[in-house]
Amino acid sequence: MKERFYSIDVYKFIAALFIVYIHTVLFWNYDVGTFQWYTTWILMAIARNGVPLFFMMSAFLLYNHPDDRSLQQIKRLFTVYIAWCILTLPFIFYFYYQQLLEENYNYLHLLTFFLRQLFFTGFCGGGWFILTNIWCILIVRYFVRKSNFILLIVASVLYFLSIIDSSYYHLLGQGSLFNIFRNFFGSFSNFIPAGLLFFTIGKILAEHKSIISILNKHQYKLYVVTFFALLLNTTEVGFCIRLGYTGSSLRTDSTFTLPISACLLMLTSFTIKLKHKEIYYRLRNCSTIIYFIQFPLIWILLAIGIYGWDAYFLILTLAMIVSSMIFLLEKKIKILKF
C-alpha cells in the first residue's frame, strides 16, 4: 500500500501561489535599481520553483504506486485538456480573431500555430502543463522506460537548451536550425524541456523512497542547504537580469541552479510529517483550481487595467471562492447520493 504524504498537498498549494505571482509580476514596471525592483526579482527567483514543484509532485504521485497507472493518467489528463479547451473557447476564438486582423496574416502560418498549440504548447496558458505531462509520461513509458540514468541525461540536455532559449537568450547565437525548431514548438520554456527534467526527478524520488529516512535524520542540514540553494538561484537570476539576458520583464523561465533549489525544496516536503486531515486534500484541489483559473482571469484583469498585487490577490480570492463553491456542491451531491 502506498504511503500518503500530506505535506505534498501543502507544497502544491504554495507552488500555486508562486505561479500566480510569476504571471502577475511580469506586468510590474518598477524603475531599475529601486528597492521595489530588487524585491521583485528576488521574489521572482523564489517563485520560479513553483512550476518545477508541480512537475515533480505530479510524477511522484503517479509513480508512488506498485502498479503502472500511466495509461490511466494519460486518459485522465486528456479528458482534463479537452474540458479546458471547451471552457476557454471564448478566449481561443478571440485570440485567433486578433490573428486574422493582422496585416501579415496567412492561412499556413495560422494552421501551423494552431497545430503547435493543439499538440504542444496548449491553449490559454494552462494547457501546456497538461500536454507536457502527457508527453513526459509517453517518453518514460515507451522510450526510456527501463533506464532512469538515460532519461536523466536526455532531460538534462533538453533543459540546457531551455536555458539558452529562456533565461540566457541567444547564448550560442541564432543558428537557422535552432530558430526553425524554436519557432515551431514555441519557447522551449513552454514544452518538454521545462518539465521532463523535473518530471524525471519526481519519478526517481517515487522509486527510491528509502532516501526519506536519511532526510529525516539530517533535516536541519537539509533546510540550511536548501536556503543556500535558493540564495544561489536568486544570485543567478540577478546575474541574468543585470546582464540583460532576460529583458525588462524579469522573465526567467529556466536557470542552471533552478533544478538544485527546486529538488531540495521537494526533498524538504518529505521531512514534514502531517496527520490525516481533510484540509490537505482540499488544498490540493484548490491549488489546481488556482493554477488554471489564473490564465483567463489575468487576461480579463489586464484588459480592464488591474495589475500587480491587486491582480495577484484578486485572482487568489476568486480561486478560493470557486474552490469553496465546488466543495459545498460536492457535499450536497454526496448527501443526495446523486
Side-chain angles (χ1 to χ4, degrees):
M1 183 176 180
K2 73 183 184 70
E3 184 180 358
R4 185 77 158 86
F5 296 92
Y6 298 103
S7 55
I8 290 182
D9 297 332
V10 178
Y11 270 59
K12 187 176 181 182
F13 180 77
I14 296 173
L17 301 183
F18 283 166
I19 294 170
V20 176
Y21 176 86
I22 293 170
H23 292 144
T24 51
V25 77
L26 289 176
F27 304 99
W28 297 352
N29 295 309
Y30 295 125
D31 294 331
V32 176
T34 62
F35 173 78
Q36 294 91 340
W37 186 81
Y38 279 110
T39 303
T40 297
W41 70 253
I42 290 173
L43 292 175
M44 170 69 86
I46 297 173
R48 275 296 169 193
N49 290 276
V51 173
L53 282 173
F54 255 80
F55 277 111
M56 286 187 288
M57 288 183 289
S58 297
F60 181 86
L61 294 173
L62 173 61
Y63 295 104
N64 187 31
H65 287 266
D67 54 332
D68 186 355
R69 303 178 60 191
S70 55
L71 290 180
Q72 294 93 319
Q73 181 70 351
I74 289 176
K75 292 178 182 178
R76 176 178 173 273
L77 289 171
F78 184 74
T79 302
V80 173
Y81 181 63
I82 296 299
W84 174 248
C85 292
I86 294 173
L87 289 173
T88 56
L89 269 180
F91 298 95
I92 296 173
F93 285 144
Y94 179 76
F95 173 80
Y96 280 95
Y97 173 72
Q98 292 293 323
Q99 294 293 310
L100 288 171
L101 294 179
E102 291 186 1
E103 294 181 0
N104 59 345
Y105 158 79
N106 66 77
Y107 286 102
L108 181 60
H109 172 76
L110 194 62
L111 177 61
T112 303
F113 190 80
F114 174 79
L115 293 175
R116 185 181 69 186
Q117 283 195 306
L118 181 64
F119 295 108
F120 302 109
T121 61
F123 296 102
C124 198
W128 85 273
F129 178 77
I130 305 174
L131 288 174
T132 300
N133 267 284
I134 293 175
W135 282 106
C136 287
I137 295 171
L138 290 173
I139 290 173
V140 170
R141 181 177 175 83
Y142 295 107
F143 293 96
V144 282
R145 185 174 185 176
K146 296 183 179 180
S147 176
N148 283 330
F149 177 75
I150 295 177
L151 179 61
L152 194 60
I153 294 298
V154 172
S156 298
V157 171
L158 291 176
Y159 183 80
F160 176 77
L161 293 176
S162 75
I163 296 173
I164 296 174
D165 183 69
S166 56
S167 292
Y168 295 89
Y169 288 110
H170 316 313
L171 185 62
L172 298 181
Q174 296 188 58
S176 59
L177 180 61
F178 187 78
N179 275 343
I180 293 172
F181 190 80
R182 181 179 56 197
N183 288 336
F184 180 77
F185 288 113
S187 172
F188 276 113
S189 63
N190 285 334
F191 185 46
I192 288 178
L196 185 58
L197 178 60
F198 301 110
F199 190 88
T200 301
I201 294 173
K203 176 180 181 290
I204 294 173
L205 291 176
E207 295 173 349
H208 298 83
K209 292 191 288 293
S210 58
I211 193 177
I212 296 177
S213 60
I214 301 175
L215 296 174
N216 289 327
K217 293 179 181 178
H218 304 281
Q219 60 181 34
Y220 296 109
K221 294 179 182 178
L222 175 63
Y223 298 155
V224 172
V225 173
T226 302
F227 171 78
F228 281 105
L230 288 170
L231 186 63
L232 180 63
N233 189 36
T234 303
T235 303
E236 185 183 359
V237 172
F239 174 80
C240 292
I241 294 172
R242 294 295 295 181
L243 294 185
Y245 283 119
T246 61
S248 60
S249 68
L250 308 182
R251 185 164 192 168
T252 49
D253 294 286
S254 307
T255 53
F256 289 104
T257 55
L258 182 60
I260 301 173
S261 60
C263 184
L264 287 170
L265 276 174
M266 181 68 180
L267 292 176
T268 61
S269 69
F270 299 124
T271 65
I272 301 174
K273 302 301 179 182
L274 299 173
K275 295 182 179 179
H276 171 70
K277 289 184 179 179
E278 189 178 14
I279 182 62
Y280 303 132
Y281 176 74
R282 297 300 164 191
L283 282 177
R284 183 197 292 190
N285 291 340
C286 185
S287 61
T288 303
I289 293 173
I290 290 174
Y291 177 82
F292 283 104
I293 200 174
Q294 65 175 307
F295 296 102
L297 285 179
I298 287 174
W299 288 11
I300 295 173
L301 294 178
L302 289 177
I304 60 180
I306 299 178
Y307 307 91
W309 283 108
D310 292 337
Y312 180 77
F313 286 113
L314 186 56
I315 288 171
L316 293 183
T317 301
L318 292 173
M320 294 292 188
I321 292 173
V322 172
S323 183
S324 299
M325 291 174 61
I326 292 176
F327 170 64
L328 293 174
L329 181 62
E330 181 184 0
K331 288 185 66 175
K332 288 186 177 181
I333 291 175
K334 286 183 178 179
I335 292 173
L336 295 172
K337 296 182 179 179
F338 179 69

